[in-house]
Amino acid sequence: MQEYEPIRQQLLKRYREINERLSRITQDVRHTKEPLAADFEEQAIERENDEVLTALDDSIRRELRQIQVTLGRLDRGEYGICESCGRKIPLKRLRALPFASRCVACAEEVQR
């Protein structure tokens, strides 16, 4: 499955980037670098920022999970094969959507 090696490397790079970002967000939400401000108004602003960071955290964790699932498919030799019909997913589609687990026809069918 050498044809998928560039995709694997892209996914691993993205995984490392996201993990670093997630670590920074976690530190910010937990206020490990600096405690909450003593001023009530400042605290309110910081709490609003925490909500935004938490939403980002959830989004990042979903993407991490997609990467893990995709890397697992690569490791098992299942990558590039439609999980619905068993046909080969075109490399062009996989390059555009590395998390794709269905061919275009099956993906469209699921969306209906």
Side-chain angles (χ1 to χ4, degrees), residues 1 8 12 68-79:
M1 298 264 163
R8 176 189 295 279
L12 289 170
Q68 290 168 334
V69 167
T70 302
L71 290 171
R73 290 184 57 133
L74 277 160
D75 292 343
R76 291 186 305 275
E78 298 170 358
Y79 188 74

Side-chain angles (χ1 to χ4, degrees), residues 14-94:
R14 181 71 179 147
Y15 189 84
R16 287 188 297 271
E17 290 169 355
I18 292 173
N19 260 332
E20 290 172 15
R21 188 173 177 195
L22 184 59
S23 177
R24 287 191 306 273
I25 289 172
T26 301
Q27 287 176 358
D28 286 347
V29 169
R30 291 183 181 161
H31 301 281
T32 55
K33 291 183 180 178
E34 56 188 61
L36 284 173
D39 180 47
F40 180 73
E41 288 180 28
E42 278 296 315
Q43 280 187 14
I45 292 170
E46 288 177 12
R47 293 286 184 207
E48 286 178 16
N49 290 341
D50 289 351
E51 290 175 19
V52 171
L53 290 174
T54 299
L56 280 173
D57 178 69
D58 292 343
S59 173
I60 289 171
R61 287 184 192 279
R62 278 192 300 276
E63 186 174 354
L64 277 175
R65 183 70 187 131
Q66 284 182 312
I67 292 171
Q68 290 168 334
V69 167
T70 302
L71 290 171
R73 290 184 57 133
L74 277 160
D75 292 343
R76 291 186 305 275
E78 298 170 358
Y79 188 74
I81 300 168
C82 178
E83 65 183 15
S84 295
C85 70
R87 288 183 291 215
K88 187 170 179 159
I89 300 171
L91 188 56
K92 186 175 181 179
R93 175 170 171 75
L94 294 171

